Every structure is written in structure tokens, then in C-alpha cells.
Amino acid sequence: MKKFLALMLVFVLAASMLTGCSGGGSSSGGKDDGVIRVWVGEESAEFYQKVCDEYIEAHPDFGYKIEVKGMDTGSVAGTITNDPTAAADIYTVAHDNIGKLASTQCAKPITDEALVNQVVADNPASFQKVIYSTLDGNQYLYGVPYISQALFMYYNKALVSEEEAKTFEGLQAAAARENTKAITVTGDDGFNMCFALLATSVVDHGTSVKIYEGAESVSGGSKGVSNCQGDDTVAIVRWLQEYAADPNGFKWASPDGWEADLDKDNKGVLAVIGGAWHYNTAKAALGESNLGITMIPTFTLTEAACEGLTGVSAGDVYRGGTFADCKCFMINANSAASKYAKEQELIAYMASKEIQNRSYLECLNVPAYVGAASYIEQCYKDGKVTESQFNLAAMQVSMAEWGIPQPFITGTLNTYYYSKNGPAIFRAMIDKTAYPTTGDQILTETESLESIRKGLYLIEYIWMHGVTPDSFPASLPEKA
């Protein structure tokens, strides 16, 4: 640990000499003006201002005022990289932005030994894998998790029984009874469609899918290993093709939005896969009494889905998957060096189990620490949260066991995965329509085993290279 901290301190001294993050702005341009500014999610700003005020009152020798501002945490990383001098001293981002912010000298590492020990002791291994960044061959801790999030399912429990909601087949049966569609998603992007891509076997959580496994966060480093061409992935695509073609199966959200489909009066769909950020909208669509919340269901592979494949068998059961992420506090590299120790002291407080628990009660932010499920359950037993509020948190915690953190530890990997046509190709495969590529006309045929293998090869190639290939290998699957 001492060697680790020493390496980080050397980096801090070096980083202080960089000019890329110097200048003026709301972080006081590297000057100490007696204020530590903090950015959190818009829904949490009032709460964190309150707890920071309490901390100052309890620690009159802290030496700084604290100003908390609510931001859109989905886009704040772009704001920071565009002008780090105008960013807060401490800011909140989703963990998949850590590598980008660290490699562009927009963040300082965490060097306080007590805080490092707190992070290691409190957080699950899955989060600890994604909160470090590599620079000059050394790893440094940059992000301190304090909120976790994952996809799960909202459903109309007036029309779907608890048992039916456990499986995609049960939802399908309920939809046939109600003459509607079973389920939709809130978007067709690479995040929302991870429920299918990251589905894993219920027997052993097994999957052949790899997304940038072993990638390095240093700019220009290895992209790691990716794979989405396994027999299990082919079978899952075939299963979803069948399910989407069924009059009571899967549908994309209508032009009026998924909330209009889910509305208890419209009855356009019985369930939607979404996140905690969709809670208020889903509750408005269904009403508190009709709002069911549960894990993403399981599904059983059919004979047609497995035909011609050796790695899977009809009857194999999978559960829909998710990206299970954490939001983290980070320190702006442009912040005054004299604030550094106090910033880490403040982060240790804001990310403590006590404050994470209070944040759940007051803001419905699901804690990131190991063992939070027990606290959440006790809150429900004590009547501190409603049934739907309890389920909102409990299902996120449960789904985290069936997911992986987003592995996009550099801006390049994030762009390749989300913005280079991979999601559009995946949707075309489900719809059995022509792939949105240029050239090869065989891609207009999307139902055969060969064409599905080609589509998955295209997606994997895009993940690794950011472009579509000039040609296909003589046989598939083949490493992209």
C-alpha cells in the first residue's frame, strides 16, 4: 500500500505541472477561494447540500464552504473535458468515464490512505475493477463509488401475475389474454439492448460474450478481447427474433414513447425494461397500485433457436442481463492543490455507508456498498419506504448479480460500442430487416444462420475497429 500511495503522490506532483487543466472558471482556476464546489445528479443536489452543511457544522475547523450543484450526470463528462477549468472541484460521473477523464488530465487520483481503504473495504469486486485508471504503466484509484444502478423490469400487476412476470413466456401468455404486446424497452441503443446481449445461463451465469475484456484505460492501450459470436449469442438472437415476431411478444416503443405504451388505459404493452431513472414516469403511467417491479425475466431457448448449434440446447434457460454500474465522485485536476486533502475528507464522508443509506431514503439512490440489500430490506420492514420504492432498490441490487459494469474505460471504446452502427445492426437482426451497412447485398437476408453469424461478426468488428470490414472471412465464427 505504501508503494502504491507513493507512486500516486509522484503522479500528483507531475500532474500539478500540466497546463492542460489550468485557467479560470467555477472551480476557481486552481486558486483557493475558500469554497469547495461539488456536482451531483440533479435529483440529489438538495440532499447533498444539506449533508455537507451538517458536516461543516459538526466540523467547524474544516476550513471551507461547500456549494453543491445539480447536473445531468449522463452528459457531465463531456462538459468537464470541454472545459475542466469551469468544472466543480468534486464531480459525479458514471464509472465508464473514469478512463477518459484521467487520461485527459481532468482528474486527480485518490491518495488519502483512509479513503483508499474505505473504497477497498466497502465496494464489490465488480466495481473495484472499473474505478482505477492506468497511467505510465501504473494503476491509480480515481473514482469513489456511492450510487449503483442496473436495469430491471416494470410491469402492470393488474394484468400480469407475479408468477407470469418471472418469465418472458409468462408475459407472453398474459399479453395473449389481454390482446396486447408483452414487453418493450425504453430505447434501441446499446445500453437498453444489453438485456439480450448480456443474458446469461441461470445454471452458472455463463456467457460467451466478452466486451473489451482486459482493456487498458491508458490512451492508445489495448482494447482487450471482445466476442459476440458464440452459439449462445446466436441462439439468443434467434429467440428474440421469434419473440418479436409473435403478436404477443416484444415490441419497440411507439412514436409516442414507451410510457404511452405502458399506460394503464392504453394497454399497449404489459411491461418495460428500464432503470431507476424511469421510476416516476412508470408510476405515472400505471399508478402506484398497479406498478410492479421485478428482475428482468428468464427465457427458455426453443428448438428453432438452437438448430444447427452445438454450444446450446433447446430447454436451456437464460436470464436477461444488464450493465450494472456505479456513479462515482472524482476530483478535478484543476482544483487548487491546497484543497486536495479536504476534498478527499469530504468525499469519504459523502460516500460513507451512513450517507449512502440516507441518500436512499431521501432520494431513492441505491447504495453501492456490499451488503446494502440488508439495509434496504430493513427500511421496508420498518415502513420507511413504500413497496414499490423497496422493489425499485431490491431489484437493482438483485440484477447486479446478473450484469457487468460498463467496460468502456476510454472514450474511444465508448464511441465504438455505442455510436458506430453496432446497435443499429443488432436492431435490424431482431427485425429481420436489411443491415444498415454499405455494400454486400447478402446482408439484406437476415434470417439464416449464416446471416446472423455475419451480423454478429459485423458488430464485434465495429466494437474493435470502429468501422465495418471490407469483407467477411471465408467461414464464421472468426475473431473480428
Side-chain angles (χ1 to χ4, degrees):
M1 175 63 73
K2 290 182 178 179
K3 182 179 179 182
F4 175 72
L5 291 173
L7 285 169
M8 290 192 293
L9 287 168
V10 168
F11 169 72
V12 173
L13 291 173
S16 68
M17 295 184 287
L18 294 171
T19 59
C21 284
S22 62
S26 67
S27 65
S28 71
K31 299 177 181 178
D32 193 339
D33 62 352
V35 180
I36 293 177
R37 295 167 177 83
V38 181
W39 284 354
V40 298
E42 293 169 327
E43 71 286 347
S44 307
E46 184 176 349
F47 168 76
Y48 281 100
Q49 183 66 68
K50 178 175 67 176
V51 299
C52 286
D53 290 345
E54 293 171 358
Y55 188 76
I56 290 177
E57 184 176 354
H59 300 81
D61 59 345
F62 183 70
Y64 287 90
K65 291 176 58 180
I66 304 172
E67 294 180 358
V68 180
K69 182 179 179 180
M71 300 289 288
D72 176 4
T73 54
S75 61
V76 72
T79 302
I80 295 165
T81 54
N82 286 338
D83 186 5
T85 67
D89 300 291
I90 298 170
Y91 52 76
T92 297
V93 293
H95 77 265
D96 56 302
N97 292 291
I98 289 175
K100 175 173 63 178
L101 291 166
S103 65
T104 54
Q105 290 83 49
C106 292
K108 292 179 184 178
I110 303 300
T111 61
D112 180 83
E113 186 170 5
L115 179 52
V116 171
N117 290 338
Q118 177 180 312
V119 171
V120 172
D122 289 355
N123 290 279
S126 60
F127 288 169
Q128 294 195 43
K129 291 179 181 177
V130 296
I131 56 178
Y132 292 82
S133 189
T134 302
L135 187 67
D136 297 331
N138 297 312
Q139 271 203 331
Y140 306 101
L141 175 63
Y142 278 91
V144 179
Y146 74 107
I147 296 174
S148 66
Q149 55 188 23
L151 292 174
F152 49 90
M153 187 179 80
Y154 298 101
Y155 70 98
N156 187 339
K157 65 182 184 181
L159 304 178
V160 181
S161 70
E162 185 176 342
E163 189 65 25
E164 288 173 325
K166 293 179 179 179
T167 68
F168 279 90
E169 293 81 9
L171 286 172
Q172 192 173 21
R177 184 176 63 240
E178 299 297 330
N179 192 30
T180 187
K181 284 283 192 176
I183 192 166
T184 189
V185 285
T186 61
D188 61 359
D189 54 89
F191 181 85
N192 284 286
M193 292 310 296
C194 71
F195 87 89
L197 186 65
L198 298 181
T200 56
S201 168
V202 299
V203 174
D204 58 6
H205 291 243
T207 176
S208 66
V209 171
K210 300 181 188 299
I211 308 177
Y212 306 126
E213 191 170 290
E216 298 176 1
S217 58
V218 60
S219 178
S222 167
K223 299 185 184 73
V225 177
S226 293
N227 176 49
C228 69
Q229 299 182 65
D231 281 2
D232 53 347
T233 308
V234 173
I236 289 167
V237 168
R238 283 172 153 181
W239 166 80
L240 190 51
Q241 285 180 330
E242 293 177 48
Y243 201 72
D246 188 277
N248 305 116
F250 173 83
K251 75 180 293 289
W252 303 104
S254 69
D256 292 330
W258 64 268
E259 59 270 38
D261 296 326
L262 189 65
D263 188 274
K264 62 182 181 298
D265 296 321
N266 294 341
K267 298 180 184 178
V269 71
L270 298 181
V272 62
I273 295 171
W277 52 98
H278 299 121
Y279 173 73
N280 289 329
T281 305
K283 184 170 70 172
L286 292 176
E288 176 79 29
S289 62
N290 294 333
L291 181 61
I293 303 176
T294 191
M295 296 174 69
I296 298 176
T298 64
F299 58 89
T300 302
L301 296 181
T302 62
E303 291 279 358
C306 299
E307 183 180 354
L309 304 174
T310 59
V312 290
S313 301
D316 289 351
V317 181
Y318 285 75
R319 182 178 298 283
T322 180
F323 285 125
D325 300 332
C326 55
K327 290 185 179 181
C328 303
F329 287 122
M330 296 183 70
I331 299 176
N332 190 343
N334 186 68
S335 184
S338 52
K339 296 181 180 181
Y340 194 33
K342 291 299 182 179
E343 288 165 343
Q344 293 180 87
E345 177 185 331
L346 181 60
I347 288 175
Y349 174 68
M350 293 191 295
S352 66
K353 292 181 180 180
E354 175 192 356
I355 300 304
Q356 287 189 48
N357 288 343
R358 287 180 58 187
S359 179
Y360 166 63
L361 283 177
E362 297 191 36
C363 306
L364 294 181
N365 290 323
V366 178
Y369 67 84
V370 173
S374 297
Y375 173 78
I376 291 167
E377 184 175 6
Q378 192 60 50
C379 287
Y380 178 55
K381 289 179 178 177
D382 293 343
K384 294 180 180 179
V385 293
T386 67
E387 180 180 2
S388 65
Q389 290 171 336
F390 163 69
N391 285 331
L392 177 76
M395 292 308 109
Q396 287 184 86
V397 172
S398 297
M399 280 305 305
E401 300 178 13
W402 296 86
I404 62 170
Q406 290 186 71
F408 318 116
I409 55 178
T410 69
T412 297
L413 301 187
N414 190 298
T415 299
Y416 283 6
Y417 179 84
Y418 282 115
S419 305
K420 294 295 183 178
N421 229 25
I425 292 172
F426 193 81
R427 173 165 180 165
M429 295 174 71
I430 304 311
D431 290 344
K432 300 181 182 179
T433 58
Y435 297 152
T437 61
T438 57
D440 201 332
Q441 289 301 305
I442 198 170
L443 296 183
T444 60
E445 197 282 298
T446 56
E447 297 186 49
S448 69
L449 176 57
E450 179 187 14
S451 65
I452 292 173
R453 288 203 182 281
K454 283 191 171 185
L456 292 175
Y457 175 82
L458 284 177
I459 292 172
E460 185 180 317
Y461 195 94
I462 288 170
W463 288 354
M464 297 304 292
H465 306 285
V467 296
T468 52
D470 294 331
S471 60
F472 288 99
S475 63
L476 290 169
E478 179 67 38
K479 183 176 175 62

